[in-house]
Amino acid sequence: MAGETTDAPTADEYEEQSLLELFDPRGFGWPTRFGLFGLLLLAILPLLRGYGVAVPGLGIVRVNSLLLGNFTGALFFAIFAMSWDVVSGYTGEISFGHGLFFGVGGFTSAILNADFGLGLMMSIPLGMVAAAIAGLLIGVPSLRLQGPYFSLITLVTPIIVLGLFKFAPELTGGATGKFTGTLSVDPAMNYAYAFLLFVFTLGLFLAITRSDAGIVLTAIREDELAVEAAGLNPAKFKLFAFILSGSVGGLAGAMYVHTYLGGIATPSDLLALVISIEVIIAAILGGIGTIVGAAVAGLVLFLFRIYIANINATVPVLGVDIAEIYFFLFLAATFLFLFYIPEGMVPRILRAVRSREESADDGTGGSGGDGGEEQEVAADGAGPGWTEGGSTTLERIVAKFTRELRELTGGGDDR
């Protein structure tokens, strides 16, 4: 969906094109065509219920209500991963407690529906508003704090909220959770809700991050002082990103409760620290600062986690069921993946496609070129991406975080 702009029309050429020409799939690059094909497959998945589908490596997979339910959860998790990427992947401010937005949206909607009798059409939007307010409260410190201090706040906040649940079990349901209503008892309908929100969120985040606002967010990540020197206010843009991220994450959390979770909101499903960790992993594996990468990896990781947890086998030597240590295996597979593809899945695929297209155009058969210029592959189509031999977006964010941590602890003083 991004990074395919080798022959992209200019703004003037766009104006000269008719609407039909603008949306002609033949004019799209291969990444966009592949992405649209993937969305088409997701759109028709409920229509395949009762049929078997051939999946490479898995054989014939029957599409049934259980599979649709798992994909429903995966779509909401992908939305959540995108909401993390839009704030941390673009501004470089790492949030370690993003599950807070998921939990605030989910529990607010559940409590309003179960205890105050509000319909889901009212409680779900109010859950989104509550999460947006949480995003505002978390984002305000970013006006004064950044780097490790800010990350510490995002890490501690959901832990504090979890503690509050223990003091008000009559309101929150305590550890057993809150029982509330569902949007539909039909898995296909719940899947449709999740898919529509997924498509809307993907389009919204792509539009914002490819706009001037996205360019400013990327510039904040690379050099915040340079943004200030240009006369822009980085705090305003970071606050906007947090409120946007919180509202979308809260909406996903509210709908997650009333669809995938079957109307049961529990702290372990919404506010556990492991959720925030998985979201970060998804965005990193997909390609941090790309939105599309977070969406793809969010889908894959959620389903991969379910697959591992349901393997009925034991680990040799250890004699432990795989299901009991699935999270450890999940992390091991993640580290292995990062070792070989540090820039993430989507940037790697875009780089390969770009290299093949350019080789076909100039017949040089390689990506080195003859002018000694490096072929920079835009990871997100909107800003600097990954260059062969250069640092990835993740490495630059980690380096910035480490440098700020050293400054705080005095480790950067060589005297």
Side-chain angles (χ1 to χ4, degrees):
M1 295 196 177
E4 70 285 1
T5 55
T6 303
D7 300 318
T10 64
D12 292 338
E13 290 172 337
Y14 268 123
E15 293 179 357
E16 295 174 358
Q17 288 181 318
S18 67
L19 192 61
L20 186 62
E21 292 173 335
L22 197 60
F23 289 96
D24 185 353
R26 293 173 297 182
F28 296 159
W30 281 108
T32 300
R33 294 181 192 179
F34 187 77
L36 291 175
F37 180 70
L39 286 177
L40 177 63
L41 291 179
L42 288 175
I44 66 172
L45 188 62
L47 303 178
L48 301 176
R49 185 158 56 171
Y51 295 94
V53 178
V55 178
L58 298 178
I60 302 298
V61 176
R62 179 167 291 278
V63 180
N64 52 26
S65 296
L66 178 61
L67 186 71
L68 287 177
N70 290 337
F71 266 87
T72 299
L75 287 168
F76 283 124
F77 185 76
I79 295 169
F80 196 43
M82 286 190 282
S83 75
W84 183 90
D85 197 33
V86 78
V87 62
S88 294
Y90 277 83
T91 67
E93 297 290 353
I94 302 176
S95 171
F96 287 122
H98 220 62
L100 174 71
F101 302 134
F102 214 43
V104 168
F107 269 101
T108 300
S109 180
I111 292 171
L112 290 177
N113 177 254
D115 294 345
F116 295 90
L118 290 184
L120 295 182
M121 292 301 105
M122 285 291 294
S123 66
I124 290 176
L126 289 175
M128 181 183 70
V129 172
I133 294 173
L136 176 65
L137 296 177
I138 296 283
V140 166
S142 70
L143 304 178
R144 302 181 63 85
L145 302 176
Q146 58 184 347
Y149 277 138
F150 175 78
S151 297
L152 184 61
I153 289 178
T154 63
L155 178 64
V156 169
T157 306
I159 297 176
I160 295 175
V161 173
L162 268 175
L164 294 177
F165 273 68
K166 297 179 181 177
F167 291 102
E170 66 283 353
L171 177 64
T172 63
T176 58
K178 198 74 178 177
F179 292 83
T180 179
T182 58
L183 276 172
S184 173
V185 294
D186 183 0
M189 283 301 299
N190 289 330
Y191 176 86
Y193 292 133
F195 177 72
L196 291 176
L197 183 60
F198 174 81
V199 173
F200 171 77
T201 303
L202 180 62
L204 175 68
F205 283 164
L206 285 177
I208 291 175
T209 53
R210 273 59 175 173
S211 68
D212 292 343
I215 295 174
V216 175
L217 293 176
T218 305
I220 291 172
R221 180 187 69 201
E222 301 299 329
D223 192 342
E224 187 168 336
L225 292 178
V227 175
E228 292 179 354
L232 298 173
N233 185 355
K236 181 179 67 175
F237 285 92
K238 286 196 287 188
L239 193 58
F240 163 73
F242 267 96
I243 295 175
L244 174 68
S245 175
S247 59
V248 172
L251 177 60
M255 294 190 66
Y256 184 75
V257 167
H258 299 297
T259 54
Y260 178 72
L261 294 182
I264 305 174
T266 62
S268 60
D269 285 321
L270 296 171
L271 285 167
L273 185 59
V274 67
I275 296 174
S276 298
I277 295 174
E278 289 177 349
V279 166
I280 296 174
I281 291 174
I284 291 174
L285 292 185
I288 196 168
T290 63
I291 299 299
V292 176
V296 173
L299 280 170
V300 173
L301 280 188
F302 191 91
L303 297 173
F304 179 63
R305 185 184 63 183
I306 293 176
Y307 174 75
I308 291 181
N310 285 283
I311 293 178
N312 188 20
T314 57
V315 179
V317 180
L318 297 178
V320 180
D321 289 339
I322 289 179
E324 295 180 8
I325 60 169
Y326 81 93
F327 189 68
F328 171 78
L329 297 176
F330 176 76
L331 291 179
T334 298
F335 282 119
L336 191 65
F337 189 93
L338 283 176
F339 182 78
Y340 288 103
I341 310 180
E343 74 274 26
M345 287 189 294
V346 169
R348 173 63 66 92
I349 293 172
L350 292 178
R351 173 171 169 262
V353 172
R354 176 73 63 83
S355 178
R356 177 172 296 183
E357 288 180 346
E358 292 184 352
S359 297
D361 288 342
D362 58 25
T364 59
S367 60
D370 55 5
E373 296 180 356
E374 293 178 311
Q375 288 190 327
E376 187 175 8
V377 180
D380 54 11
W386 184 67
T387 304
E388 185 69 49
S391 60
T392 65
T393 301
L394 173 61
E395 289 170 339
R396 293 198 296 275
I397 291 176
V398 172
K400 177 185 175 185
F401 185 89
T402 305
R403 183 174 62 253
E404 292 171 340
L405 184 61
R406 285 177 177 170
E407 291 173 355
L408 290 174
T409 58
D413 191 355
D414 297 332
R415 291 176 297 177

